[in-house]
Amino acid sequence: MRSRVTAVLLLAAGFLVTAPSAACACSCASQPPADQMKRSAAVFTGTVVASRQAEGGDPLGPRPPIVYTFRADQVYKSDPVVQFEVASNADTPACGYQFTTGGRYLVFASSEPTGVVPPVPGVPLHTGQCSGNRQVGTGTDPLRPGDRVVSGDPVDAALITALGTPKRPSGTAPVGSATPQASPVVSGGEDGPIKIWYAAGGFAAGFVLFAGLRLFGRRRATRPGPDAGWASPPDS
């Protein structure tokens, strides 16, 4: 009987401990875009190219954060680098923002420790549901008022004003741009036309030599020999 009472008490205690955390949901206060810019260390649009779960974490606690790798196309704040790594909580109730690989996002990332996202070694930037992130339409152009938004607040004039003028990361090219192919005529570099000129000249010289030899052979075949006109006397 005592063991049953103990089991019931432990079960009730576990429910009281886990129920609040399970029922907890992320609640965000409304922030104007200008405040979102001030609170962020990096603001950019980019496409998610990879994700991984950070190491460590408490087996009995929440899951470690997810680290997302972005290929940036426009940088509104921070150095215009090609790639950003940003951490976010893995669980939605913990205000984790779940990015989708292949999606393009406007990302507001902070570097200040807030206690919401556990620090990830080597990844100073973190973000969440309350940061102001938006999934936007594909492309690489700067955002404009009225641009399509897949999820999140719309792209309006107030947001564009707060973002300011972006910088394109160095070493990037617009998606779908074709790499110009070298012309076959100049594929050999600066000496290509010269080599082709020599090849054409050699072909012409060979043709002239061949034609001359044939003409000379024909004339030699029709020319009378040294004994022409001398007939052998008839046999007596």
Side-chain angles (χ1 to χ4, degrees), residues 109-125:
S110 175
S111 60
E112 296 293 332
T114 60
V116 177
V117 182
V120 178
V123 184
L125 296 176

Side-chain angles (χ1 to χ4, degrees), residues 129-172:
Q129 294 185 34
C130 301
S131 301
N133 305 316
R134 298 162 173 80
Q135 184 176 1
V136 296
T138 58
T140 60
D141 294 332
L143 295 178
R144 297 183 296 268
D147 279 353
R148 186 173 69 92
V149 177
V150 179
S151 63
D153 295 334
V155 177
D156 54 14
L159 174 63
I160 299 303
T161 301
L163 291 175
T165 303
K167 297 179 181 178
R168 179 177 288 277
S170 59
T172 62

Side-chain angles (χ1 to χ4, degrees), residues 218-225:
R218 289 180 180 179
R219 294 186 61 183
R220 183 178 180 84
T222 57
R223 183 178 180 181

